[in-house]
Amino acid sequence: MRRICAVNRIVRPVSGILLRRLALASIIANVGIVVTGGAVRLTASGLGCPTWPRCTDDSYVTTPEMGVYGVIEFGNRMLTFAVALIALATLLAVLAHRPRRPGLLALAVGVFLGIPAQAVLGGITVLTNLNPWVVGLHFLASMAVIAAAYALWRRIGDPDGPTVAVVPAPLRALARVTTGVTVAVLVVGTWVTGSGPHAGDHGAARNGLDPETISQVHADGVFLLIGLSVALIFAFRAVGAQRATRAAIILVAVELGQGLIGFVQYFTHLPAILVGAHMLGSCLVLLAALSVQWSTRERRAVTSTPQAAQAAPTDAATPVPVTA
């Protein structure tokens, strides 16, 4: 009994502000590991540590004989532990937060477990000598972890009341289609990368797709995505959904910036610095698309009376309860 009391005195409830800051740090860390992973590939350091989970057959760490390539690859592996520690801190903060809130634990666990899963995929890329399809899957796994971290961050900032739609059902469907096209563009982008010159190692294989053809497919997807996003701006504005309109404007701005980088890098023969910026832009496009999706609905604060519920502010004229 005394031990329980001592633990209760030591473990303090975590504030909502700290919890949300940790979730934001998790988003930033996972975006950062994507960028540093890109640096590994763009410096041809993908096999700087030629095996996994060890760096060499005899050592878990890089050796002087492996030079700068080994340092870069091993350094990126060590960053994975930093990202995992932030995710663990966020998970522990969710457990310590009072009162317990629905949905947070599952998201925090998902982010935390996603990091070792992503690390294992990274190991498989090394063991398969940087197979371009596995490399692409490794990148997409990082995108999934970023999406889960973003959902956790947004859910922490929401109240725990019922979820209501702030735009009509057709516009919610259009937003979902736009998010789906965003994911498709990211997937095709990995095919473009797998056909290009930045393999991560001078001896790594390419996926065999024609770079010009698959780049055109990727560009067509980008044009479709921008068109859908612009349509969302006008549609949201027409129904008076100001928050959703702002989110859609930001999405279009990020897409245009990312598209500009993509065209410049293509016509300048893929300089490494622009390819790295394009990888960062991919993360930002995903986050902006998720923000639009989130803006089509909102959670209301828990109210004790029907009159108070009806008085809650909204961003649209006719909010509709939704089940998810």
Side-chain angles (χ1 to χ4, degrees):
M1 186 66 181
R2 291 180 178 178
R3 289 183 179 179
I4 295 175
C5 293
V7 170
N8 288 334
R9 285 195 298 269
I10 294 173
V11 179
R12 302 291 184 183
V14 173
S15 69
I17 294 176
L18 175 58
L19 189 58
R20 200 156 196 249
R21 287 175 178 173
L22 285 170
L24 179 59
S26 187
I27 296 173
I28 295 171
N30 279 284
V31 171
I33 201 75
V34 169
V35 175
T36 59
V40 171
R41 180 167 57 83
L42 295 169
T43 56
S45 303
L47 294 178
C49 286
T51 189
W52 187 88
R54 297 188 180 194
C55 192
T56 70
D57 290 335
D58 301 319
S59 174
Y60 282 99
V61 300
T62 185
T63 62
E65 294 77 13
M66 301 169 69
V68 66
Y69 297 119
V71 172
I72 293 173
E73 162 65 4
F74 182 74
N76 188 64
R77 292 187 183 188
M78 291 299 98
L79 285 176
T80 301
F81 289 99
V83 177
L85 284 174
I86 294 174
L88 177 60
T90 306
L91 174 58
L92 295 176
V94 168
L95 291 172
H97 183 64
R98 295 294 183 274
R100 288 285 178 87
R101 299 183 56 196
L104 297 188
L105 182 58
L107 288 170
V109 170
V111 173
F112 177 67
L113 294 182
I115 293 169
Q118 189 258 15
V120 170
L121 278 173
I124 295 174
T125 65
V126 173
L127 297 177
T128 58
N129 294 317
L130 305 181
N131 180 290
W133 301 105
V134 181
V135 171
L137 186 60
H138 183 45
F139 171 80
L140 294 174
S142 295
M143 295 295 102
V145 175
I146 289 172
Y150 179 82
L152 176 61
W153 177 70
R154 290 298 298 257
R155 181 66 187 88
I156 291 170
D158 287 341
D160 292 327
T163 302
V164 297
V166 297
V167 298
L171 299 190
R172 299 200 302 275
L174 181 59
R176 287 193 292 269
V177 169
T178 304
T179 302
V181 173
T182 300
V183 173
V185 167
L186 292 175
V187 171
V188 177
T190 66
W191 302 349
V192 176
T193 298
S195 69
H198 297 293
D201 185 79
H202 299 297
R206 301 285 72 205
N207 60 22
L209 299 175
D210 178 64
E212 184 175 350
T213 301
I214 196 62
S215 295
Q216 183 61 58
V217 173
H218 183 56
D220 291 342
V222 171
F223 288 135
L224 174 61
L225 177 59
I226 293 175
L228 290 170
S229 303
V230 171
L232 283 175
I233 293 176
F234 289 103
F236 289 155
R237 181 171 294 173
V239 298
Q242 297 179 0
R243 186 164 60 95
T245 301
R246 288 193 297 269
I249 290 173
I250 292 172
L251 174 60
V252 170
V254 174
E255 289 168 350
L256 291 175
Q258 174 74 336
L260 177 61
I261 294 172
F263 277 107
V264 172
Q265 72 170 4
Y266 181 80
F267 289 109
T268 55
H269 307 292
L270 303 175
I273 186 65
L274 289 182
V275 176
H278 201 57
M279 292 186 68
L280 173 61
S282 297
C283 300
L284 298 181
V285 168
L286 175 64
L287 291 171
L290 292 174
S291 176
V292 170
Q293 189 67 51
W294 221 272
S295 70
T296 63
R297 61 186 187 179
E298 64 182 23
R299 284 184 179 270
R300 300 292 176 78
V302 178
T303 54
S304 57
T305 65
Q307 292 79 8
Q310 293 176 358
T314 182
D315 194 28
T318 55
V320 179
V322 294
T323 57

PDB file of all heavy atoms in Angstrom, residues 312-324:
ATOM      1  N   ALA A 312     -23.778  25.245 -29.456  1.00  0.00           N
ATOM      2  CA  ALA A 312     -22.358  25.103 -29.770  1.00  0.00           C
ATOM      3  C   ALA A 312     -22.060  25.713 -31.123  1.00  0.00           C
ATOM      4  O   ALA A 312     -22.811  25.543 -32.071  1.00  0.00           O
ATOM      5  CB  ALA A 312     -21.965  23.622 -29.772  1.00  0.00           C
ATOM      6  N   PRO A 313     -20.917  26.445 -31.275  1.00  0.00           N
ATOM      7  CA  PRO A 313     -20.599  27.092 -32.545  1.00  0.00           C
ATOM      8  C   PRO A 313     -20.244  26.069 -33.608  1.00  0.00           C
ATOM      9  O   PRO A 313     -19.761  24.992 -33.314  1.00  0.00           O
ATOM     10  CB  PRO A 313     -19.376  27.959 -32.193  1.00  0.00           C
ATOM     11  CG  PRO A 313     -18.765  27.273 -31.020  1.00  0.00           C
ATOM     12  CD  PRO A 313     -19.916  26.695 -30.245  1.00  0.00           C
ATOM     13  N   THR A 314     -20.466  26.442 -34.836  1.00  0.00           N
ATOM     14  CA  THR A 314     -20.149  25.548 -35.955  1.00  0.00           C
ATOM     15  C   THR A 314     -19.640  26.358 -37.121  1.00  0.00           C
ATOM     16  O   THR A 314     -19.851  27.557 -37.211  1.00  0.00           O
ATOM     17  CB  THR A 314     -21.386  24.732 -36.376  1.00  0.00           C
ATOM     18  OG1 THR A 314     -21.000  23.858 -37.442  1.00  0.00           O
ATOM     19  CG2 THR A 314     -22.515  25.616 -36.832  1.00  0.00           C
ATOM     20  N   ASP A 315     -19.006  25.689 -38.067  1.00  0.00           N
ATOM     21  CA  ASP A 315     -18.435  26.335 -39.242  1.00  0.00           C
ATOM     22  C   ASP A 315     -19.361  26.242 -40.443  1.00  0.00           C
ATOM     23  O   ASP A 315     -19.085  26.767 -41.492  1.00  0.00           O
ATOM     24  CB  ASP A 315     -17.091  25.657 -39.563  1.00  0.00           C
ATOM     25  CG  ASP A 315     -16.273  26.457 -40.545  1.00  0.00           C
ATOM     26  OD1 ASP A 315     -16.428  27.682 -40.573  1.00  0.00           O
ATOM     27  OD2 ASP A 315     -15.489  25.841 -41.290  1.00  0.00           O
ATOM     28  N   ALA A 316     -20.458  25.534 -40.312  1.00  0.00           N
ATOM     29  CA  ALA A 316     -21.389  25.377 -41.429  1.00  0.00           C
ATOM     30  C   ALA A 316     -22.801  25.564 -40.921  1.00  0.00           C
ATOM     31  O   ALA A 316     -23.074  25.478 -39.724  1.00  0.00           O
ATOM     32  CB  ALA A 316     -21.232  23.995 -42.069  1.00  0.00           C
ATOM     33  N   ALA A 317     -23.720  25.779 -41.852  1.00  0.00           N
ATOM     34  CA  ALA A 317     -25.081  26.098 -41.456  1.00  0.00           C
ATOM     35  C   ALA A 317     -25.832  24.902 -40.933  1.00  0.00           C
ATOM     36  O   ALA A 317     -26.659  25.025 -40.026  1.00  0.00           O
ATOM     37  CB  ALA A 317     -25.822  26.681 -42.669  1.00  0.00           C
ATOM     38  N   THR A 318     -25.571  23.698 -41.462  1.00  0.00           N
ATOM     39  CA  THR A 318     -26.358  22.518 -41.070  1.00  0.00           C
ATOM     40  C   THR A 318     -25.450  21.358 -40.719  1.00  0.00           C
ATOM     41  O   THR A 318     -25.193  20.482 -41.546  1.00  0.00           O
ATOM     42  CB  THR A 318     -27.293  22.107 -42.224  1.00  0.00           C
ATOM     43  OG1 THR A 318     -26.487  21.898 -43.409  1.00  0.00           O
ATOM     44  CG2 THR A 318     -28.339  23.163 -42.481  1.00  0.00           C
ATOM     45  N   PRO A 319     -24.870  21.345 -39.514  1.00  0.00           N
ATOM     46  CA  PRO A 319     -24.012  20.236 -39.125  1.00  0.00           C
ATOM     47  C   PRO A 319     -24.793  18.938 -39.069  1.00  0.00           C
ATOM     48  O   PRO A 319     -25.956  18.917 -38.672  1.00  0.00           O
ATOM     49  CB  PRO A 319     -23.490  20.644 -37.742  1.00  0.00           C
ATOM     50  CG  PRO A 319     -24.517  21.598 -37.221  1.00  0.00           C
ATOM     51  CD  PRO A 319     -25.041  22.314 -38.416  1.00  0.00           C
ATOM     52  N   VAL A 320     -24.143  17.847 -39.455  1.00  0.00           N
ATOM     53  CA  VAL A 320     -24.781  16.541 -39.482  1.00  0.00           C
ATOM     54  C   VAL A 320     -23.946  15.585 -38.669  1.00  0.00           C
ATOM     55  O   VAL A 320     -22.742  15.499 -38.848  1.00  0.00           O
ATOM     56  CB  VAL A 320     -24.881  16.028 -40.943  1.00  0.00           C
ATOM     57  CG1 VAL A 320     -25.527  14.646 -40.958  1.00  0.00           C
ATOM     58  CG2 VAL A 320     -25.688  17.009 -41.788  1.00  0.00           C
ATOM     59  N   PRO A 321     -24.560  14.845 -37.717  1.00  0.00           N
ATOM     60  CA  PRO A 321     -23.771  13.869 -36.965  1.00  0.00           C
ATOM     61  C   PRO A 321     -23.179  12.812 -37.880  1.00  0.00           C
ATOM     62  O   PRO A 321     -23.801  12.396 -38.855  1.00  0.00           O
ATOM     63  CB  PRO A 321     -24.817  13.263 -36.009  1.00  0.00           C
ATOM     64  CG  PRO A 321     -25.936  14.246 -35.967  1.00  0.00           C
ATOM     65  CD  PRO A 321     -25.962  14.910 -37.306  1.00  0.00           C
ATOM     66  N   VAL A 322     -21.938  12.410 -37.579  1.00  0.00           N
ATOM     67  CA  VAL A 322     -21.306  11.332 -38.328  1.00  0.00           C
ATOM     68  C   VAL A 322     -20.872  10.263 -37.350  1.00  0.00           C
ATOM     69  O   VAL A 322     -20.708  10.526 -36.155  1.00  0.00           O
ATOM     70  CB  VAL A 322     -20.092  11.839 -39.126  1.00  0.00           C
ATOM     71  CG1 VAL A 322     -20.537  12.800 -40.199  1.00  0.00           C
ATOM     72  CG2 VAL A 322     -19.074  12.496 -38.226  1.00  0.00           C
ATOM     73  N   THR A 323     -20.641   9.074 -37.844  1.00  0.00           N
ATOM     74  CA  THR A 323     -20.348   7.961 -36.960  1.00  0.00           C
ATOM     75  C   THR A 323     -18.875   7.767 -36.724  1.00  0.00           C
ATOM     76  O   THR A 323     -18.470   6.997 -35.867  1.00  0.00           O
ATOM     77  CB  THR A 323     -20.919   6.668 -37.552  1.00  0.00           C
ATOM     78  OG1 THR A 323     -20.363   6.486 -38.876  1.00  0.00           O
ATOM     79  CG2 THR A 323     -22.431   6.739 -37.641  1.00  0.00           C
ATOM     80  N   ALA A 324     -18.010   8.418 -37.519  1.00  0.00           N
ATOM     81  CA  ALA A 324     -16.581   8.197 -37.359  1.00  0.00           C
ATOM     82  C   ALA A 324     -15.847   9.515 -37.377  1.00  0.00           C
ATOM     83  O   ALA A 324     -16.353  10.506 -37.841  1.00  0.00           O
ATOM     84  CB  ALA A 324     -16.064   7.324 -38.484  1.00  0.00           C
TER      85      ALA A 324
END
